[in-house]
Structure formats: C-alpha cells, structure tokens
C-alpha cells in the first residue's frame, strides 16, 4: 500500500544518486515540484526519462543533476528551444549529457514493455530514419507469423517513476483526469513510484475519463498543492503560458538561469 | 473571392495550408504552423475537421490557438481523451489517420524531414527538439502535408539527419522500409506549393503564391528545383480567410 509521505522524505528515501528517474506528464500534470525537490537535494548522475523534456528537465539538466537523458522531444512547446538542454548537448555545460533519443511512439512503447514485464515492445517505425541508426535501444525484429520486418524497442524500467495527479485518498489510491499521457505506464514500469497530488481527500468521487491507480501499485504519495505549476492541473489551475514564454529569456543565459534557480528553487 | 487587401507571407502560407484540409478528415496535427492552419480550416470550410493531437486529445475544438499540444482547452473540448499509447498504437499505427500534418526545420528534395540536429549528430552545432510524434505520423498517416518556410537553410540538398522519412532516395524506399502510408502529397511554404512528381517522387514547384517570382523560389531552394510545366498561381486570400486568420487568438498571448 502506498505510504503518505512529505515530498522531501519521498525524494530522499526513494531516489539516490545514479538512479534512473522518470518524470512524466504530457504538458498537463508535470511533476514540477518533485523536480525542484530533486534539485534542492542535489541528486547527481541521474538518468532522466521523459517523453517531452520541458522546463523541469531544462532546470534539472542546468543544475547538473542529470548525466543521461532518455527522451523523444526536447523543446519548450510553442516557444522554441530548451536552452539548458542545448547548452549541455552542444557545449557540455555544466557537464556532458548522454542522450538516448526516440520518437514518441518508440519511447511510449518502451514504457508499455516495461509496464508489461516484457524485455521489449514491437512496433512499426524507425526504419529509414537517423534514429534507427543511432539508438542502441532499437533493433530489427522479424514477425514470426508474417515475416514483416519491424522494430523492437527495449523496455524501460525506471528506478523511480514520479507523476503528479489531482487527488489521492487517505489509503493512497490515486486519481487523475484530463490529459493523462503516459503516466499510468510510467508508474507501472517503475520499480518504485512517487505520486504528488493536489489534495488528499476522504473519498474519490468519479470524474469523467479518470485514471485510478490503486494504492497497492504506488509506493508513496505526497500532497503538494500547486505541484505542477507552471504546468496545469485540470480542475485546479490553468497552465501559466506566460511563464513558458518567459522561460526562453530566463534560461538563455547561464547566469540568469542560475540566479532564477537560486531565487525560486533553492 | 479575390481580395485586394494586403497580407503577410505567413498568412498566405497558413491559408494555403488550411485550404488543403477537408471537412470530416481525421488529421493528426503537429504544433506550430500546422496547428494554426488546421484551426483556421475549422473556422472556414472544415468545421468538423477531426483534429488529433499527440497528447491524446481527439476532436478538440479550441476557441483559442493552443500554445502546446496539451493545452487545457484541447482536453476540455475534445470528443475523447486517450492515453499516449492508444494514440500511437491504436489510432496512428493501423492507418486510421487521413492526414498527417507536420512542420520541420529542414526538408530535402524527396520530402524527408529533419527536426533533430544541425551538424553532426554526436556533436551538433544546433540541437533541435527532436522527433516527437513525427516519424510515425510521416510513416503511417494515409497522406502527409508538410509546412515550412522556404530558404536555402531549410530546403537543403542533404539533410544532416533524417528524423521522418518522406520518400527516402526515391519512389521505392517507402515500400522497402515497410511504411504503410503513401507519404507526403504537398509541401506548403511561404512562397508556393511543391508536390512530389508521381514517378520520381522528387518535389516539383507546382504553385507560386501571388506576387512571388519563380526565381525567388529557385534561389530559396538548396537544390536545383524542378518547376512544373504549367506553373499555377495560388488564389489570393479572400476577405473571409483573412478575417478568420486574424481572429485566431493564441493562448499565452
């Protein structure tokens, strides 16, 4: 059963230096506060796994927490580049960043394989692209029934998967709704999981299109109101699009970035 | 339909792209230029265009132009929200998408797309965001429409990296690589429209936007551009089209 913990204790006890950690949330419900706690605890040498590395990934990379990034789209949606990510790839600042790069479909299927307890997933993709050539976690596979050449993508099983959800009850059952992305698969693929929630309630009443993660599938739950800002939590608060635009200039320069982190995170 | 109003080249590009979409088509939308054009089409001749965004929203009807593919309004106005595995495995991969609508940083003469790096992959001079949903959208959609601004930086002889396959090196590569969709049918730029030659699959300039000289398009292309024998002129933006595009308000602005 999921244990209800503080965010501080959750990160301290569930994540150690050198671990692989998935932070998932597809534009919606991004676990920003958990990412900030990882920065505050100065975790090092992490493998960060995330379909859409955005601001939180930029911050973790810029603060030197991440030595390897597994991802499929690294940008500031609708705005442009992730400057800390680019600085790490292009200039090894603040340290070199190893990348394991996929398409969304590919990394999605890696989570599906991880969640399914299989060593790989099968898909039709990658062939003829540069990703096929450079990735070590994609390989050809022949369908035993039709002979079609397909691609196998290696399962991903993060040491810790972190997501943000709207609510949990006191037993640690978790409920999320709206755009729920890859979060269920990320939690199921994780060896451990930490869910931050907007609130903990006595009873979870049904919501349209909700996803329920039963308490026994989750390692720990921490209540962190606003834990997704400047991303959003449907039913609680909206996406702060202005901040996503502002991040472009905050993150462009190393010193401006460090000053922002110092003032807003540390 | 003709209009004497002035318009920007970006407006012309979005309007030309919107005109390619039909009502009730199922359209997988990339963010940026394609999202703007698709939402414009919904306000004009295709109110029932079914827009699919990779975040999992199906049939979203946003009143504002979304900043990202997962904006709250996309979820709130969707017919359904599904998980990301469902979007890619159940909807895209089996060939249920009519039009894949993509942007890119660079394109070559066979409509292969790069959105990954400029320079060497392991030591890039510019690291771009990467693939996202594009490779499989390009592979499995029944047809693909591409939008990007035309210059010698974006229309290049050789891509440093193929993120999404158009026609590879010619007419046989899609079959060779087992891609199920028929590939790009049109590339829409700020200068005109390009379409693949039915036999060679090399892009050919088929339309010039109004007041654009063919020399300008040739100069803005990094390979020796083929021009159709019967080069046509894109219809001028109508008053209704210009009004619609100017009423599109972006989220976050």
């Amino acid at each position: 059963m999921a244990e209800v913990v503080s965010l501080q204790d959750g990160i301290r006890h569930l994540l150690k230096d050198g671990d692989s950690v998935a932070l998932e949330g597809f534009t919606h419900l991004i676990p920003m506060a958990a990412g900030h706690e990882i920065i505050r605890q100065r975790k090092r040498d992490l493998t960060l796994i995330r379909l859409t590395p955005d601001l939180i990934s930029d911050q973790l990379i810029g603060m030197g927490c991440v030595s390897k990034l597994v991802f499929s789209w690294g940008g500031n949606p609708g705005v442009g580049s992730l400057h800390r990510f680019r600085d790490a790839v292009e200039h090894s600042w603040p340290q070199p960043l190893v990348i394991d790069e996929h398409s969304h479909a590919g990394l999605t299927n890696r989570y599906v394989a991880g969640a399914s307890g299989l060593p790989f997933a099968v898909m039709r993709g990658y062939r003829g692209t540069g990703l096929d050539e450079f990735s070590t976690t994609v390989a050809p596979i022949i369908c035993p029934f039709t002979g079609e050449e397909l691609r196998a993508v290696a399962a991903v099983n993060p040491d810790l998967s972190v997501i943000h959800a709207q609510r949990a009850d006191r037993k640690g059952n978790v409920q999320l709704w709206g755009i729920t992305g890859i979060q269920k698969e990320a939690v199921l693929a994780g060896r451990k999981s930490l869910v931050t929630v907007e609130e903990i309630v006595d009873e979870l009443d049904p919501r349209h299109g909700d996803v329920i993660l039963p308490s026994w599938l989750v390692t720990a739950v921490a209540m962190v109101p606003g834990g997704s800002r400047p991303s959003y939590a449907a039913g609680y608060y909206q996406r702060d699009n202005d901040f996503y635009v502002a991040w472009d200039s905050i993150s462009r320069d190393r010193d401006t970035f460090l000053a922002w982190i110092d003032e807003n995170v540390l | 339909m003709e209009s004497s109003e002035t318009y920007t080249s970006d407006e012309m590009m979005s309007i030309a792209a919107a005109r390619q979409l039909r009502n009730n088509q199922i359209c997988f939308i990339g963010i940026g230029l394609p999202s703007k054009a698709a939402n414009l089409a919904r306000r004009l001749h295709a109110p029932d265009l079914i827009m699919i965004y990779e975040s999992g929203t199906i049939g979203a009807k946003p009143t504002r132009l979304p900043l990202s593919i997962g904006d709250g309004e996309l979820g709130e106005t969707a017919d359904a929200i599904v998980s990301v595995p469902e979007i890619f495995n159940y909807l895209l991969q089996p060939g249920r998408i009519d039009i894949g609508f993509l942007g890119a940083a660079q394109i070559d003469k066979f409509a292969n797309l790069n959105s990954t790096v400029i320079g060497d992959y392991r030591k890039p001079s510019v690291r771009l965001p990467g693939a996202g949903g594009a490779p499989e959208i390009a592979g499995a959609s029944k047809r693909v429409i591409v939008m990007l601004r035309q210059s010698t930086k974006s229309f290049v002889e050789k891509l440093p990296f193929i993120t999404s396959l158009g026609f590879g090196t010619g007419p046989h590569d899609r079959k060779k690589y087992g891609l199920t969709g028929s590939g790009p049918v049109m590339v829409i730029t700020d200068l005109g429209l390009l379409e693949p030659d039915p036999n060679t699959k090399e892009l050919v300039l088929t339309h010039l936007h109004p007041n654009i000289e063919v020399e300008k398009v040739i100069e803005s292309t990094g390979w020796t551009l083929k021009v159709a024998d019967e080069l046509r002129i894109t219809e001028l933006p109508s008053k209704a089209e210009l009004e619609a595009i100017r009423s599109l308000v972006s989220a976050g602005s």
Side-chain angles (χ1 to χ4, degrees), chain B residues 116-148:
Chain B
T116 302
V117 290
I118 306 294
D120 180 68
Y121 181 71
R122 290 201 172 83
K123 197 83 186 123
S125 54
V126 178
R127 175 64 229 197
L128 300 165
E136 286 75 22
I137 296 171
S141 301
K142 288 175 190 159
R143 298 189 294 153
V144 176
I145 295 175
V146 182
M147 284 182 84
L148 76 170

Side-chain angles (χ1 to χ4, degrees), chain A residues 71-75 85 101-102, chain B residues 115-117 127-135 163:
Chain A
F71 76 109
S72 44
W73 192 86
F85 161 63
E101 178 166 10
H102 287 267
Chain B
S115 54
T116 302
V117 290
R127 175 64 229 197
L128 300 165
T163 312

Side-chain angles (χ1 to χ4, degrees), chain A residues 61-250:
Chain A
I61 291 165
M63 291 306 291
C65 302
V66 182
S67 57
K68 181 175 179 182
L69 180 69
V70 180
F71 76 109
S72 44
W73 192 86
N76 182 347
V79 179
S81 289
L82 288 180
H83 298 292
R84 296 300 97 225
F85 161 63
R86 280 187 57 179
D87 204 9
V89 173
E90 294 168 15
H91 309 113
S92 297
W93 191 91
Q95 62 186 39
L97 181 68
V98 174
I99 58 174
D100 176 13
E101 178 166 10
H102 287 267
S103 65
H104 280 343
L107 186 47
T108 292
N109 277 302
R110 296 188 65 193
Y111 275 120
V112 169
S116 308
L118 287 170
F120 63 86
V122 175
M123 58 181 285
R124 192 181 286 117
Y126 288 96
R127 296 182 63 196
T129 73
L131 294 169
D132 205 34
E133 185 186 337
F134 286 101
S135 178
T136 56
T137 42
V138 177
I141 188 166
I142 304 294
C143 170
F145 304 106
T146 64
E148 182 181 359
E149 183 179 335
L150 297 160
R151 285 293 177 269
V153 286
V156 64
N157 290 103
D159 293 314
L160 177 66
S161 290
V162 183
I163 67 166
H164 186 72
Q166 279 97 340
R167 308 194 298 183
D169 65 16
R170 291 180 205 291
K171 293 178 204 143
N173 298 299
V174 168
Q175 182 186 34
L176 56 157
W177 65 86
I179 293 171
T180 55
I182 191 73
Q183 285 99 304
K184 180 160 83 177
E185 289 76 14
V187 166
L188 292 172
R191 295 188 173 90
K192 289 167 290 185
S193 58
L194 170 65
V195 183
T196 58
V197 293
E198 289 296 321
E199 58 177 338
I200 293 178
V201 296
D202 290 329
E203 202 166 332
L204 299 173
D205 58 297
R207 295 296 172 112
H208 183 66
D210 58 3
V211 170
I212 302 285
L213 297 170
S215 175
W216 58 273
L217 289 173
V218 175
T219 312
V221 169
M223 192 171 89
V224 187
S228 207
R229 292 182 190 278
S231 167
Y232 69 105
Y236 290 80
Y237 46 88
Q238 304 221 327
R239 191 172 192 263
D240 185 353
N241 282 325
D242 292 342
F243 185 79
Y244 277 82
V245 174
W247 183 252
D248 191 66
S249 52
I250 295 168

Side-chain angles (χ1 to χ4, degrees), chain B:
Chain B
M1 285 293 281
E2 294 223 335
S3 154
S4 57
E5 281 188 61
T6 57
Y7 54 87
T8 68
S9 60
D10 274 6
E11 285 174 338
M12 182 69 253
M13 177 162 56
S14 294
I15 289 165
R19 288 173 183 165
Q20 297 302 321
L21 303 176
R22 299 283 168 268
N23 212 17
N24 294 310
Q25 274 178 335
I26 300 154
C27 192
F28 203 125
I29 314 281
I31 200 63
L33 296 170
S35 179
K36 188 170 189 184
N39 279 287
L40 178 61
R42 277 185 53 244
R43 280 160 179 75
L44 291 164
H45 55 277
D48 297 319
L49 180 74
I50 298 163
M51 299 196 302
I52 298 189
Y53 287 89
E54 63 199 14
S55 60
T57 66
I58 297 171
K61 293 161 275 290
T63 58
R64 296 182 309 168
L65 202 57
L67 185 66
S68 94
I69 43 73
D71 275 20
E73 207 192 359
L74 296 177
E76 289 158 17
T77 62
D79 296 329
I81 305 175
V82 301
S83 71
V84 173
E86 284 182 60
I87 282 281
F88 287 106
N89 289 350
Y90 300 167
L91 296 179
L92 179 60
Q93 189 164 259
R96 298 184 214 276
I97 304 296
D98 294 324
I99 302 279
F101 202 6
L102 296 172
Q106 291 184 318
I107 190 167
D108 68 14
K109 69 170 76 163
F110 290 111
N112 302 300
L113 306 178
N114 172 29
S115 54
T116 302
V117 290
I118 306 294
D120 180 68
Y121 181 71
R122 290 201 172 83
K123 197 83 186 123
S125 54
V126 178
R127 175 64 229 197
L128 300 165
E136 286 75 22
I137 296 171
S141 301
K142 288 175 190 159
R143 298 189 294 153
V144 176
I145 295 175
V146 182
M147 284 182 84
L148 76 170
R149 295 184 187 93
Q150 195 158 359
S151 75
T152 51
K153 282 188 176 168
S154 58
F155 280 62
V156 299
E157 177 75 40
K158 185 167 170 45
L159 294 177
F161 192 95
I162 295 180
T163 312
S164 305
L165 204 70
F167 295 103
T169 58
H172 308 298
D173 278 7
R174 289 187 71 88
K175 189 164 183 226
K176 177 173 113 186
Y177 292 123
L179 302 184
T180 50
S182 58
V185 292
M186 185 173 283
V187 178
I188 297 159
T189 84
D190 50 342
L191 304 179
L193 308 181
L194 298 86
E195 295 172 66
D197 178 280
N199 297 316
T200 66
K201 298 300 182 188
E202 181 173 337
L203 290 173
V204 177
L205 180 69
T206 58
H207 290 70
L208 285 172
H209 293 331
N211 305 313
I212 304 290
E213 301 293 332
V214 67
E215 290 73 24
K216 163 84 175 163
V217 190
I218 290 169
E219 279 166 21
S220 305
T221 306
W223 66 85
T224 309
L225 181 65
K226 294 209 162 72
V227 178
D229 295 337
E230 288 182 47
L231 187 59
R232 299 164 72 177
I233 306 295
T234 312
E235 196 178 317
L236 275 170
S238 70
K239 194 161 183 286
E241 287 171 330
L242 288 171
E243 275 174 15
I245 198 168
R246 287 165 193 170
S247 71
L248 279 178
V249 179
S250 299
S253 67

